[in-house]
Amino acid sequence: MNEILSKLVVVSLSISLWTGRKKLSPEDLGLDFSKLPPEKLATLGSKKICDPEKLAVFSALKRRAERQCEAVGVRFLGGYAIPEDKADEVMKILDGVRDEFEKEKQEFLSEYDRSLREWIDANPEWAAIIEKGVEPASTAARRLGFAVQAFKVKNIDGLDKGLNEHASTLSERLIFEINQQARQAWEESYKGRPSVTRKALRPIKSMLDKLRGLEFLSPYLLTLAVQIEEVLASLPKSGPIEGRNLTSLIGILHVLGDLPLDEVPAEEEDEVAETILLETKSAEPVSLPSEWFF
């Protein structure tokens, strides 16, 4: 397990958001508190004291950082285990996202009071309710945060049982994530289509890059990556992808996504089944815990 850990860097994202929401009170709605059900049974929900569109950029940047980590790594120890040889590139990108987050934060805070007034003016009927929940800019400043750390993990003799058990599931976790990506690609780009454009190759190439980067986690991953590369290399360099070429791609997705054959048009079942057989005959996939699918 030390050999695997030595090839990984763990990237931890600590990104906090300010929702711009406050809890609704009975007084806000002119309700008699004594006539309301207890909070363990029901709550009144929340009120937006700030225009949600002003805050959307922070959620988008948080998701961008997460996607960058997910593109090359797998979940591990509360962060993402990524190949060591990709750590510098990933950190440069994340540093750029962090800088953009900080820039947007400063712009948001500089316009904070004016934005609140515009939100109140845009909802005059509920101005009193909004004003009761208004918080100072310092509260938003404390809540909005973006930090990223990268570190190596090393075993401690005699105290590493839990770490080893967790690390031993990395290949299974990777296969599970690839499984979900393949299913999404099938639904969004391939299902029910007699032909696809080269744009449809992007998710397959992304999955291939991820497999290649983490192929040291399991011999099965290397075998799978090589087989995908062979199929991609056999495709025409331009034009739509259809016929047997499309069938080969569908076969890849069925291997990666563990999709049932009833998802395939009847006229293509035999060809896809043959592709799946060729793709899997040389290695047994890692079995996945059933609870990961729920």
Side-chain angles (χ1 to χ4, degrees):
M1 203 53 61
N2 271 321
E3 183 179 354
I4 288 179
L5 291 175
S6 69
K7 297 178 181 179
L8 295 170
V9 170
V10 178
V11 174
S12 175
L13 298 175
S14 300
I15 306 173
S16 57
L17 305 178
W18 182 60
T19 63
R21 296 170 181 258
K22 291 294 292 291
K23 183 179 178 180
L24 270 173
S25 68
E27 291 79 8
D28 286 335
L29 302 178
L31 301 175
D32 184 348
F33 184 81
S34 64
K35 295 182 179 179
L36 295 177
E39 287 196 356
K40 67 179 181 180
L41 182 63
T43 62
L44 292 177
S46 62
K47 56 186 176 183
K48 300 173 184 176
I49 62 171
C50 178
D51 185 350
E53 291 187 5
K54 302 289 185 181
L55 297 169
V57 62
F58 301 109
S59 295
L61 290 171
K62 179 176 185 287
R63 185 63 193 127
R64 189 196 303 176
E66 292 169 343
R67 283 199 303 268
Q68 179 58 45
C69 293
E70 292 167 354
V72 297
V74 291
R75 284 284 188 176
F76 184 58
L77 299 179
Y80 299 86
I82 65 173
E84 185 175 25
D85 59 5
K86 294 189 177 183
D88 286 343
E89 178 185 357
V90 170
M91 289 302 293
K92 286 179 182 178
I93 294 173
L94 293 178
D95 285 344
V97 179
R98 180 193 58 200
D99 292 344
E100 188 174 348
F101 189 101
E102 186 61 29
K103 177 184 176 182
E104 293 289 348
K105 175 180 174 179
Q106 295 307 318
E107 290 183 1
F108 172 74
L109 294 175
S110 68
E111 298 289 327
Y112 184 77
D113 291 336
R114 185 169 68 85
S115 295
L116 290 187
R117 176 46 53 188
E118 289 177 350
W119 183 242
I120 292 171
D121 291 344
N123 299 276
E125 184 179 358
W126 308 103
I129 292 177
I130 298 172
E131 289 172 342
K132 287 181 182 179
V134 166
E135 295 182 313
S138 58
T139 297
R142 287 196 306 272
R143 302 275 179 83
L144 290 168
F146 190 117
V148 57
Q149 301 87 30
F151 56 89
K152 297 280 288 182
V153 177
K154 185 177 180 181
N155 298 63
I156 300 176
D157 290 342
L159 300 175
D160 55 1
K161 180 180 179 182
L163 176 61
N164 287 337
E165 289 177 349
H166 198 32
S168 68
T169 67
L170 283 172
S171 61
E172 296 175 359
R173 171 55 62 178
L174 173 58
I175 292 172
F176 170 73
E177 292 181 5
I178 293 293
N179 179 284
Q180 302 306 298
Q181 289 177 260
R183 288 171 179 255
Q184 182 177 356
W186 165 256
E187 290 291 338
E188 295 179 355
S189 303
Y190 289 86
K191 187 175 183 179
R193 301 188 184 189
S195 67
V196 298
T197 66
R198 301 191 68 81
K199 183 179 179 181
L201 295 177
R202 292 177 185 173
I204 293 178
K205 289 181 177 180
S206 294
M207 288 182 276
L208 175 60
D209 288 343
K210 188 168 180 174
L211 285 170
R212 270 301 192 184
L214 294 164
E215 62 187 27
F216 55 83
L217 294 178
S218 167
Y220 169 67
L221 302 177
L222 175 58
T223 301
L224 190 57
V226 169
Q227 292 167 342
I228 295 171
E229 287 173 340
E230 290 175 352
V231 171
L232 293 179
S234 71
L235 298 177
K237 303 303 181 184
S238 61
I241 300 171
E242 54 194 358
R244 294 190 65 87
N245 291 320
L246 178 58
T247 300
S248 295
L249 292 179
I250 292 174
I252 288 177
L253 291 176
H254 276 256
V255 171
L256 297 178
D258 192 26
L259 297 172
L261 277 176
D262 59 14
E263 292 277 11
V264 183
E267 62 271 18
E268 297 180 1
E269 277 191 13
D270 290 341
E271 291 186 19
V272 172
E274 181 181 356
T275 301
I276 293 173
L277 177 61
L278 292 174
E279 298 292 336
T280 57
K281 67 179 181 180
S282 59
E284 288 296 324
V286 177
S287 60
L288 299 176
S290 60
E291 62 268 21
W292 283 6
F293 294 91
F294 298 93

